[in-house]
Amino acid sequence: MSILDQLHTLTQEAEASLAGVADLAALTAWKSCYIGKSGSLTRLSRGLGALPAEERPAAGQRVNQVREALDAAFAAAEERLKAAAQASELAAEQLDVTMPGRVPALGYVHLTNQVLRQVEEIFGEMGFQVTESPEVELDANNFSLLNFADDHPARDMQDTFYVETPVDGPAVLLRTHTSPGQMRVMRERAPEPLRILLPGKVYRNEQVTVRSEMMFHQFEFLAVGRNITMGDLKGTLAYFAERMYGPGTKVRLRPSFFPFTEPSAEMDVSCFLCGGEGCRICKHAGWLEIGGCGMVHPTVLRNGGYDPTTFSGFAGGFGPERIAMLKYGINDIRLFYGGDARFVEMFG
Ligand code: DAH
């Protein structure tokens, strides 16, 4: 075969092979095979010297043409493959900005706080101001000044966590109810008329069961002024019950006893589930027990700095957990503070 024919065959082969090259590694292999230092074209051009002198210029020129053509084909392929590699790299990094993002985990307002917020709103509508008072309390505010005698059996109603104090110091405890807040507010503000709501935590040294926890919440409401009557108490409770449990909810007061109120009462509301017919929630009574209330005892008014011959007042203390348990049919108070986030999320 003449060298020109060989050059022709080589060109065809090289071009056909180049068409099949799919990536830069294959292109490098192609280059060394055809146009590299020890490639086919170099090998062919070495044979030029053995040609008769008159054939050499034409053959040399042809070799150069073939080299230029294959170099150009190589450069074009290289450019195309580099562009393709870059494009696929970009494609791999591509972000679909229309894809929905990951939703961050959100916290929820605890059920107890939801109820307390609602209670604050309802009492707020009646002009009650939210105030807080300490959880670590003087025994005096928690008991004595609220008319609990030292040996009063009512102290047994509430098992108390005492805080260790010096022998000659005042007795300190974790408040067993929010009522000591009454004493603090009265002593601070007497003789101003008061309408106060005191929400917060209370503690009792009790066996933990489905019905009782060592820590739970209460909210205390207190109104003090001139000419405040039990009718005002009942009106306040009726408004609260309708707003909390829905229009048409009725209120009933049953006689009871608390050292700090006289008269004292337990408030019931007509069952929001059956409307008073009797059902599982109200245990077929038609009524639900919500909490204690009454007219502030004259001794308590006096201890708070109000003259009971001029001033009167009403007060009450309810538990938001109980309100929530009745409302949502929760049958175990331990779920509230057991730390299982699913419980909180359920009411989120
Ligand atoms: N402090 C009482 C308790 O924890 C509840 C209570 C009853 C509060 C009557 C009051 C009240 O203000 O008037 O059992």
Side-chain angles (χ1 to χ4, degrees):
M1 218 196 303
S2 79
I3 193 157
L4 289 181
D5 287 343
Q6 288 182 55
L7 278 171
H8 181 68
T9 312
L10 171 70
T11 308
Q12 280 191 330
E13 235 185 79
E15 281 174 352
S17 165
L18 187 61
V21 164
D23 56 42
L24 288 165
L27 184 64
T28 307
W30 179 90
K31 184 181 182 182
S32 64
C33 174
Y34 294 103
I35 54 175
K37 268 187 210 135
S38 43
S40 317
L41 186 60
T42 312
R43 236 180 300 120
L44 260 184
S45 63
R46 276 199 202 108
L48 285 175
L51 287 178
E54 64 277 14
E55 283 177 27
R56 243 181 265 155
Q61 207 180 4
R62 187 71 195 121
V63 166
N64 286 340
Q65 282 170 355
V66 168
R67 181 171 292 283
E68 267 171 36
L70 292 183
D71 278 348
F74 170 82
E78 189 179 40
E79 198 176 320
R80 174 172 57 79
L81 290 172
K82 275 190 175 160
Q86 207 171 27
S88 78
E89 213 172 288
L90 282 179
E93 285 175 5
Q94 200 180 34
L95 288 181
D96 180 354
V97 293
T98 65
M99 247 163 66
R102 267 181 224 133
V103 182
L106 282 183
Y108 297 94
V109 177
H110 193 280
L111 183 54
T112 301
N113 283 332
Q114 289 182 34
V115 173
L116 285 176
R117 283 183 189 183
Q118 208 181 341
V119 167
E120 285 167 14
E121 191 180 310
I122 298 170
F123 275 91
E125 288 160 9
M126 295 185 280
F128 283 75
Q129 209 180 11
V130 177
T131 311
E132 291 195 330
S133 81
E135 291 170 26
V136 180
E137 219 357 321
L138 294 169
D139 178 281
N141 285 336
N142 196 82
F143 290 127
S144 338
L145 293 168
L146 292 177
N147 204 30
F148 286 78
D150 282 346
D151 58 350
H152 199 292
R155 280 186 184 237
D156 296 343
M157 280 160 53
Q158 304 176 351
D159 299 304
T160 311
F161 283 115
Y162 282 93
V163 174
E164 252 180 70
T165 46
V167 195
D168 51 355
V172 174
L173 42 73
L174 297 184
R175 65 179 178 188
T176 58
H177 52 172
T178 44
S179 304
Q182 291 189 25
M183 197 47 59
R184 287 183 177 268
V185 173
M186 285 195 281
R187 290 191 154 191
E188 204 179 292
R189 304 220 189 156
E192 258 180 61
L194 301 174
R195 245 180 277 178
I196 296 294
L197 183 73
L198 291 147
K201 291 188 172 81
V202 299
Y203 302 84
R204 290 187 195 177
N205 189 358
E206 281 189 284
Q207 176 117 27
V208 176
T209 67
V210 290
R211 295 173 145 268
S212 55
E213 261 286 7
M214 281 186 278
M215 185 285 295
F216 55 100
H217 293 71
Q218 286 188 339
F219 59 90
E220 189 87 10
F221 50 94
L222 169 72
V224 179
R226 290 162 210 265
N227 307 318
I228 289 187
T229 68
M230 202 140 179
D232 296 315
L233 169 60
K234 185 134 193 210
T236 303
L237 294 175
Y239 182 82
F240 170 73
E242 285 221 323
R243 285 283 281 104
M244 193 78 207
Y245 292 106
T249 306
K250 290 192 213 41
V251 164
R252 171 175 92 169
L253 294 180
R254 280 180 294 113
S256 184
F257 170 79
F258 298 100
F260 36 90
T261 41
E262 183 56 38
S264 303
E266 278 302 331
M267 172 181 88
D268 296 343
V269 296
S270 55
C271 179
F272 56 83
L273 194 70
C274 63
E277 300 276 300
C279 69
R280 191 179 46 82
I281 290 275
C282 61
K283 300 199 182 84
H284 302 283
W287 295 92
L288 299 167
E289 202 177 304
I290 299 298
C293 58
M295 298 306 291
V296 183
H297 196 288
T299 303
V300 173
L301 282 173
R302 203 176 298 112
N303 288 342
Y306 289 85
D307 177 357
T309 60
T310 319
F311 288 92
S312 55
F314 66 76
F318 299 166
E321 288 91 349
R322 177 163 170 79
I323 290 175
M325 286 172 85
L326 290 173
K327 195 161 173 173
Y328 297 107
I330 301 162
N331 56 14
D332 187 344
I333 196 172
R334 293 172 302 184
L335 287 169
F336 282 75
Y337 310 111
D340 188 335
R342 291 174 304 174
F343 176 79
V344 183
E345 283 167 20
M346 252 179 88
F347 299 99

